[in-house]
Amino acid sequence: MQGEEHKPNELLVIIPTTKLGEMIRGTLDTLKAQTFQAFDTLIVANGCEETLPWWLAEEFPFVDIHHLPEKAGFAAAVNTAIRTSHHPLVFLLNDDARPAPDCLSQLMEAQAEHSEFAGFATRICFYYSPSVIESAGDGFSLAGRGFHRGWRAKDGAPYDRQEEVFGACAAAALYRRKLFDEAGLFEEDFFAIHEDVDLAFRARRKGFRFLYVPQAKVLHKGSVTLGTKSEQAVYLDSRNSELVLLKNMPLSGLAIIWPWYLMYTYYAFFCALKIGRLWSYLRGKVAVINQINRMLRKGTLIELEAKVPFAEVAAHFDQQWHWQGLRRVLGDWRAVSFAILAPILFFVLMWHFLL
C-alpha cells in the first residue's frame, strides 16, 4: 500500500562459510524454500579465495555478503556478523546444514510463545542418515563435558518433545540479541569446537535459558571443515573442553564434578591413543597453559558477574550421560584391560629406568 511504512525484519540468518561454491548454494536453496520469509540473510565469506559465483546475485538477490580477508574461526566469523547487525533475533546456520521448509516458521512461533527463553535449539539429524539424531540440543554432564543430546539415537521419542535444555548446537540455533548483549559473544580464542557450550554456560550464569524445539528440523552433513578425527579437531576439542571449565566453573562446581572429570579424561586419553591422535590430544592440554595467560590478560578467564547462583546452573547438568559412557566402556573388555595394564606398565618401566 502506498505510503505504508516498511517494517524491518526481526530475524537475521547468518551463514559462515570458507567456500562460495555448491555447498553454500544448497543451503541458500533451503532458505529460499522456507514457509517463513520475513528474514534477512548474511553470508560471512571467511577467507574465501574464490570470486563471487555468477549465480549468487542472480538466484539469491536477498543475500548480503560480508568478506573476511583472512580465514578466522567459526566464533570470530559469526561474531563479526552479530556486531555489524541490529536484528533482535539471530539464526546461526552452518553452510552444510539444510533446514526443513518450516524450520524458521517453527522457531519464530516458539520464540513468540516462550519469551522466557533466549536460545532455541533445533532437532539436527545427520544428512546422510536423516532418521538418526546428531543433536537434540546440547547438554552438560557431571564429567565436565558438553555433549549433543541424542547423539546417534534413532529419531523419535524421547527427543520429539519440546523441553528445556542446557544449550543449543550453534550449527543451527536461534538466539535473542539480548543474550549476546549481556552474556557476550562467542569466545574467539576457541577458534572452533565447544564455543557454543561456553556461550550457553555463560548465558545460564546470566539467567538465560534454552528451549529445544523438535519441530524445527535440520539435516547436517557435519565436520566438513575440520573433520571428526583430524589432528586439528582433536587438538581443539582437547584444549577447549578444559577452557570451558576454567572460564565458567567455580571451585564449588569443580568439587562436584572432579571424580567423573578424572575418569572421563582418563578415558579420552585412551580414545585419542586408539585413533592415533594422542599427540594432538596432549598438545591440546599443554596449550591450555598459554591460553590461560591470554585470557587472564583479556579478562575473560572466569565469569564473575553471574546473576544466578551456580547451584541453579548445576541443576541442569545431565545426571545420566557419564553413566551411559561408563557402561559402554565397561562393555569393551579390551578397553578395560588396556586401561588397567597401561599405568601398570608405565610404572614398571619408570621403576626400571630409575633403578
Side-chain angles (χ1 to χ4, degrees):
M1 183 181 297
Q2 189 173 3
E4 183 178 352
E5 185 178 347
H6 173 69
K7 184 178 180 181
N9 292 325
E10 290 186 317
L11 176 63
L12 174 65
V13 178
I14 298 174
I15 310 171
T17 187
T18 57
K19 292 185 178 180
L20 293 169
E22 290 302 311
M23 180 77 74
I24 194 71
R25 191 179 196 173
T27 308
L28 294 175
D29 279 332
T30 62
L31 291 179
K32 205 171 183 179
Q34 291 295 306
T35 56
F36 177 85
Q37 284 291 316
F39 63 90
D40 297 319
T41 305
L42 178 60
I43 292 176
V44 182
N46 187 4
C48 296
E49 298 179 354
E50 311 98 321
T51 57
L52 289 179
W54 63 267
W55 46 262
L56 192 56
E58 182 176 317
E59 297 180 19
F60 309 102
F62 58 91
V63 173
D64 293 321
I65 299 179
H66 182 92
H67 290 273
L68 293 180
E70 296 183 0
K71 187 175 293 185
F74 171 87
V78 298
N79 282 353
T80 298
I82 295 170
R83 288 191 192 101
T84 56
S85 60
H86 60 275
H87 302 70
L89 295 168
V90 173
F91 181 62
L92 301 184
L93 185 66
N94 277 13
D95 62 356
D96 60 341
R98 305 289 184 265
D102 64 341
C103 179
L104 292 182
S105 176
Q106 295 288 350
L107 286 170
M108 291 301 288
E109 182 178 327
Q111 67 84 24
E113 292 179 355
H114 299 281
S115 59
E116 70 272 26
F117 291 96
F120 300 86
T122 59
R123 177 171 51 163
I124 304 175
C125 292
F126 291 101
Y127 181 85
Y128 298 106
S129 300
S131 62
V132 179
I133 291 175
E134 179 184 356
S135 172
D138 278 354
F140 196 85
S141 78
L142 285 180
R145 289 280 299 197
F147 65 95
H148 292 326
R149 295 175 65 249
W151 171 261
R152 295 198 177 278
K154 184 174 177 57
D155 191 11
Y159 302 108
D160 55 357
R161 65 172 182 263
Q162 195 173 94
E163 60 183 321
E164 183 170 359
V165 291
F166 186 84
C169 173
L174 178 69
Y175 299 90
R176 298 192 195 276
R177 180 171 293 274
K178 65 180 182 180
L179 183 150
F180 297 119
D181 291 340
E182 295 189 32
L185 300 176
F186 291 96
E187 175 55 71
E188 296 184 10
D189 283 338
F190 277 40
F191 189 81
I193 301 180
H194 297 315
E195 69 284 317
D196 46 6
V197 178
D198 170 64
L199 176 65
F201 214 133
R202 279 187 282 123
R204 282 205 162 273
R205 298 212 68 190
K206 293 288 187 180
F208 293 109
R209 299 163 63 194
F210 292 80
L211 182 68
Y212 168 56
V213 185
Q215 299 85 358
K217 188 170 182 178
V218 176
L219 298 181
H220 186 213
K221 293 185 178 181
S223 302
V224 170
T225 303
L226 292 178
T228 54
K229 297 179 181 179
S230 67
E231 290 185 10
Q232 188 179 21
V234 172
Y235 166 80
L236 291 173
D237 177 77
S238 173
R239 184 193 69 174
N240 293 351
S241 61
E242 304 298 335
L243 295 178
V244 168
L245 295 179
L246 290 169
K247 285 192 67 202
N248 301 287
M249 189 80 75
L251 291 176
S252 59
L254 292 175
I256 296 172
I257 71 167
W258 73 266
W260 293 108
Y261 165 80
L262 291 177
M263 289 179 64
Y264 182 86
T265 302
Y266 188 59
Y267 165 68
F269 174 90
F270 287 108
C271 285
L273 180 63
K274 183 178 180 181
I275 64 174
R277 298 295 188 206
L278 181 59
W279 177 239
S280 299
Y281 177 82
L282 294 176
R283 280 199 310 117
K285 299 305 182 191
V286 173
V288 172
I289 300 172
N290 289 332
Q291 205 66 32
I292 288 175
N293 293 329
R294 177 179 171 83
M295 289 183 174
L296 279 172
R297 291 193 300 268
K298 290 173 56 180
T300 60
L301 182 60
I302 299 176
E303 176 58 65
L304 297 176
E305 298 178 1
K307 287 188 175 180
V308 300
F310 179 74
E312 291 187 20
V313 178
H316 294 279
F317 288 178
D318 188 273
Q319 305 291 316
Q320 297 297 323
W321 183 82
H322 51 286
W323 285 109
Q324 295 166 2
L326 182 60
R327 284 195 291 268
R328 287 195 299 270
V329 172
L330 293 178
D332 185 348
W333 65 268
R334 290 170 297 183
V336 174
S337 301
F338 192 50
I340 294 173
L341 292 176
I344 295 175
L345 179 61
F346 173 78
F347 285 115
V348 168
L349 290 174
M350 288 294 293
W351 181 265
H352 172 75
F353 284 115
L354 288 174
L355 292 179

